[in-house]
Amino acid sequence: MITEAHKNWFEIEKGITSETLTAFGIRSEDADWVVFPYEAGDKKRYIGPGKRKFVSKAGLKLGLYHGPLDDSKTYTFLVEGETDTMRLWQEGIKNVYGTPGLFGVDKAETDILNQYDTVYVVLDNDADYNTAAKGEKSWQKIRSLLGSKARRVSLPDNVKDIVEFFEEYSIDTFRDVVKDASSGNYHYQNLDLSVPPPPYDWLVEGLICRGDTTLLVGEPNVGKSWISLSLAVNMANGADSWLGMPMHASGKVLYIDEENPHDVVYNRLHKLGMHDFENLRYLHRQGVRLDRNFDKILDEAITYQPNMIVLDSLTRFHTRDENNAGEMAGLFNDSINVLCRETGAAVIILHHTNKSESTSSYVRTRGSSDIGAAVDCGIEARKTGANTFNLVHYKSRRTQAGGLTKVQILDTMDGKVELVTTNEAF
């Protein structure tokens, strides 16, 4: 039997009537405790002053909580907790089960739910990040157990649970929300393939395309920074070609350098003839980390709106294990590819080779093979002599790769430096 005081508490706090409490067999234990009867045993809830508490017999697996059920097996609802179960039942949906905890659904509970054609799952909207993450994990578990018959019902953001929902909305609104879940949910944007294909937006003809990631690899001191700085200077200065290849766009370059000493940077840019400094934003040893403060560099890039972004060099921008494919895939998916997508810029990533004597640039790239797999374009600088190297275009998603260009870093009579080709470019 439940006391009048407890009936009043449920009515005021949860909107649950005494008729519903009776239907579920709720009873009072003393002034501050109420009992929820499960088929496997009782669960007690403290509703007195202070924090709420729940108690059940040690080692007891409660199973699913429910009231009187309909005979229909067309659908059922799975919600969190006893009060949500009672409130939804009270609104006229009789086939409703409650789980006593986020991870309260296992094989025994699945056997019960599998009697129904469709199981609508309604989890709480939790503001706490850790609790919300647990809720998502719980949903994934439920879906793995029930398969396609499980349908997620998402409550409006302004309510935490079923009880709060019915304080703001009607049962008709709830049925509309359920209809959305019944039809399934598209979470991603479909690519419109009916429109004509767009042209490639080349920055450097046949090599560097806007919106692509390019990996420039080479052993230490081969000249990778000379290559990327030369390209940056030509882009910023508005040159019409680079290493014999036509350039179709000039403009802003965001160069993020975590490797070279500042005096080396000044001297090289001067020798390469940099003069349009408004078009070059050079971040020198600012502690940029793609796996820690990525939002800052993304904001920087979106604000500056460059045509090209250079990361010199990859190993300085993260603290992850380069030999771990999963960690490298995460680095690209969560930061580098996002940088490309959100800015539309070409992103050039400098990286080192390993000690392999293989002729394959993929094999020679240091770390996991996923680094080479993740990018759109791959170029390797292979040293051939003092101040000379070959540029091997070993990967491209847009053109046929395999070209080789011989390059020399040449000191001129006026104290400048030029990168010149000694054969036709790619």
Side-chain angles (χ1 to χ4, degrees), residues 290-337:
L290 298 175
D291 58 341
R292 293 182 182 177
N293 54 5
F294 173 66
D295 286 347
K296 291 183 179 180
I297 198 59
L298 180 60
D299 285 344
E300 185 98 13
I302 290 174
T303 301
Y304 189 58
Q305 297 185 333
N307 283 336
M308 188 172 75
I309 301 170
V310 180
L311 303 175
D312 188 358
S313 62
L314 178 62
T315 191
R316 308 294 178 215
F317 288 94
H318 67 91
T319 56
R320 297 185 180 180
D321 181 1
E322 287 184 349
N323 294 303
N324 186 304
E327 292 197 15
M328 288 300 96
L331 184 69
F332 274 86
N333 292 340
D334 298 338
S335 58
I336 296 173
N337 292 344

Side-chain angles (χ1 to χ4, degrees), residues 203-208 240-248 391 405 421 425-426:
L203 297 181
V204 179
E205 178 71 35
L207 186 65
I208 308 295
D240 57 10
S241 67
W242 180 70
L243 298 182
M245 292 169 282
M247 296 186 70
H248 296 290
L391 281 183
T405 297
T421 59
F426 304 108

Side-chain angles (χ1 to χ4, degrees), residues 258-287:
E258 293 290 332
E259 184 142 316
N260 297 295
H262 77 281
D263 54 342
V264 169
V265 173
Y266 278 105
N267 276 280
R268 288 184 178 181
L269 288 174
H270 174 74
K271 289 182 177 182
L272 287 166
M274 181 68 200
H275 59 76
D276 196 339
F277 295 100
E278 291 297 318
N279 278 342
L280 178 59
R281 182 167 178 79
Y282 206 103
L283 307 184
H284 181 260
R285 293 186 177 178
Q286 297 288 300

